[in-house]
Amino acid sequence: MSNFKHIGASQDPFTLEIVKDTLLSIGDEMFHTLARTSMSPIIYEVLDFACGLTDNKGQLLTQGNGVAGFIGTLSYMVREVVAKYNSKDRIRPGDIFIINDPYGGGGTHLSDVGLVMPIFYNDELLGFSANKAHWTEVGGKDPGSFTNDSTDIYQEGLQFPCIKLCDAGRLNEPLVEMIKSNVRFPELSIGDMWAQIAALKIGDKRFVELCTKYGKETVTASIELLLNQGEQMAISAIRNLPNGVYTANNFIDGDGLGNGPFGIQVKVTITDDRFICDFRGSHPQVPGPVNGSYTTLVTDVRTVFLAITNPSQDANDGVFRPLEVLTDKGSIFSAERPAPVSNYWESGSSGGDLVCQALASILPDRLSAGHFLSVCSVTLSGQQPESGEPFLIVEPSVGGWGAGHGQDGARGQFCIGDGETYNIPVEIAESRYGIMIDEYKLRCDGKGAGEFIGGSGVVRSYRVLTDNQTATVTYGRHLYAPWGVDGGEEGSTNEFSIHKSNGEVDGPYGMYARYVLNQGDVLELVTGTGGGYGNPFNRPVNKVRQDVKNGYYSIQDAEQKYGVILDGEMCEVIGETQARVGFLEGERV
């Protein structure tokens, strides 16, 4: 027990605010604990995880920075624990539950493993400490445990259906042994499991210290304040939005098995106090692993909802009370067992993108044009050239974001679902894996023209140093480019190619499972440019000239897309085309 002096159950507004902000800081400390103690680069470098606290009903109180695609998953995990073990004596101090069920309980895909720990104070259950992290391996038919040609969930790895990893503080050793025997890199998976447990215990410890210092009544009052404030702020923001019904439709490229494209749609209804996103009528679940769970859809819509209502607001379940997400059961947005879900982000992110597409033109200060969207995942496995030890790369890719009102699109950033994540640094990749990185540069392809231009994607090339490496690459938005807004041009699609050591080039592809690479082959990964915003003729001449000098557009692009004629050698402005002059004169009239 902490040595903090009990200062009573004072519930003055200052104390409540202090306790509320302390709850937020606990989420951050949990986040840093997990990052600093994990074994896998996808956690400690990429930060593909989330940590947070909930109350005893499973309402999210705080969530540390990390993957935007996990906003909402923690509360669903805890609710699954509460529903399954609702009897008091079945949830005890020291319990830790493990869950990765994609069809319920906050599931995404099997690689994202969630742990939940109850928090007791004076023998009373007051809340839960929870986290979810991407394990490098959970078994399954392919290295890295997620692939783009699975046909059911059983091919994708171990399933943990909300069971006890620890029972009253005692580790479930048989379960741990089973995990070790079914994953390719047990030292990474088990190491990350212990890092998650450490983060849970930090959350439990700090929450108990808070109750000891301020009293249970003050802490529970602060929790109520936190949730109610979140709801009030969200409703206040919704009241400033234009009421109405807004629609959008688009496509998901394919499922990795040759099927597709798949039509998707949304109807967004905004009232004075409700924000309803209705995806009913979208394509049913599909044979390949681009299906997503309902939780995934809710999470991606929540990310956009926060961007619209209050981007700086900390995520908690009070914030999302005015939000309602509807879809058909058994759809590509709410798949049912045993549908494969390995590449769930292709559907989930597309759902969030649909909401942006429906509202971008009426909310120009909050939403941008379409971006490269896909996680653009790369799984590369093989042997190290010197030691002969096996290695496994699992990482997302960065790309171009769409332009918005008053600003060009961001260049070389992660997609909306990845949130605050990072690349594996070149130095780490080259020292730990059997590859060299030949190039890592912006993709300047002349797409995404507009008054404000779409952000550039990137080119990242892996040179293979040993034979018989295998690459599984999933680059969605390969067929349908990011959309522009208010006359802005479309961006470009994601793709990858293989430049073989004999000079042959194979590709471009959007998805490929287990492509065999040999020494000297180069895997060239290319992500898309974001969509443009506004008519290109409205872009000032000096900015067009600077874009050409920076390499984003060619001299020909400047003339054909922007109506600006430049000198070929000095890049000086010679004049403007009649089309641009006529357009601008019409604008002035």
Side-chain angles (χ1 to χ4, degrees), residues 5-23 61 121 124 126 207 209-227:
K5 183 180 178 181
H6 193 294
I7 63 174
S10 170
Q11 294 184 18
D12 66 89
F14 300 103
T15 302
L16 293 178
E17 285 291 331
I18 290 170
V19 174
K20 176 174 70 71
D21 288 344
T22 303
L23 288 169
L61 306 179
Y121 179 71
E124 181 180 357
L126 293 186
F207 193 97
E209 288 176 348
L210 197 62
C211 291
T212 302
K213 183 174 183 179
Y214 292 100
K216 184 197 77 172
E217 293 79 9
T218 299
V219 173
T220 55
S222 295
I223 288 173
E224 184 178 359
L225 173 68
L226 174 69
L227 296 172

Side-chain angles (χ1 to χ4, degrees), residues 514-530:
R514 300 174 303 283
Y515 195 107
V516 177
L517 301 167
N518 291 309
Q519 184 176 0
D521 292 346
V522 175
L523 174 62
E524 183 184 62
L525 306 162
V526 183
T527 55
T529 296

Side-chain angles (χ1 to χ4, degrees), residues 321-433:
R321 285 172 180 168
L323 174 65
E324 184 176 0
V325 180
L326 304 172
T327 192
D328 299 312
K329 288 185 177 181
S331 73
I332 199 169
F333 288 131
S334 185
E336 298 184 316
R337 185 178 296 276
V341 295
S342 187
N343 297 327
Y344 71 98
W345 62 80
E346 296 298 342
S347 55
S349 294
S350 294
D353 185 67
L354 274 179
V355 179
C356 290
Q357 187 178 343
L359 300 177
S361 62
I362 67 162
L363 300 173
D365 295 328
R366 289 293 171 93
L367 298 175
S368 63
H371 74 308
F372 76 109
L373 188 64
S374 176
V375 168
C376 291
S377 70
V378 181
T379 304
L380 183 63
S381 62
Q383 290 185 322
Q384 302 254 13
E386 296 178 357
S387 67
E389 291 294 315
F391 75 87
L392 176 63
I393 297 174
V394 180
E395 68 172 336
S397 306
V398 298
W401 275 68
H405 180 67
Q407 64 178 10
D408 294 339
R411 302 177 180 94
Q413 298 295 314
F414 285 101
C415 72
I416 189 169
D418 267 334
E420 191 182 9
T421 51
Y422 299 88
N423 265 139
I424 295 175
V426 171
E427 296 81 4
I428 297 292
E430 291 185 340
S431 65
R432 295 194 57 163
Y433 309 127

Side-chain angles (χ1 to χ4, degrees), residues 186 226 236 263 267 312 337 390 409 424 538:
L226 174 69
S236 177
K267 179 176 72 174
S312 62
R337 185 178 296 276
I424 295 175
N538 279 326

Side-chain angles (χ1 to χ4, degrees), residues 253 345-346 372 374 376 474-479 493-494 510-511:
D253 292 347
W345 62 80
E346 296 298 342
F372 76 109
S374 176
C376 291
T474 303
Y475 270 38
R477 195 154 257 182
H478 173 63
L479 299 178
T493 56
N494 305 307
M511 294 185 185

Side-chain angles (χ1 to χ4, degrees), residues 104-126:
T108 48
H109 62 176
L110 297 180
S111 299
D112 295 331
V113 178
L115 299 187
V116 176
M117 182 178 187
I119 300 173
F120 285 84
Y121 179 71
N122 290 340
D123 297 325
E124 181 180 357
L125 177 62
L126 293 186

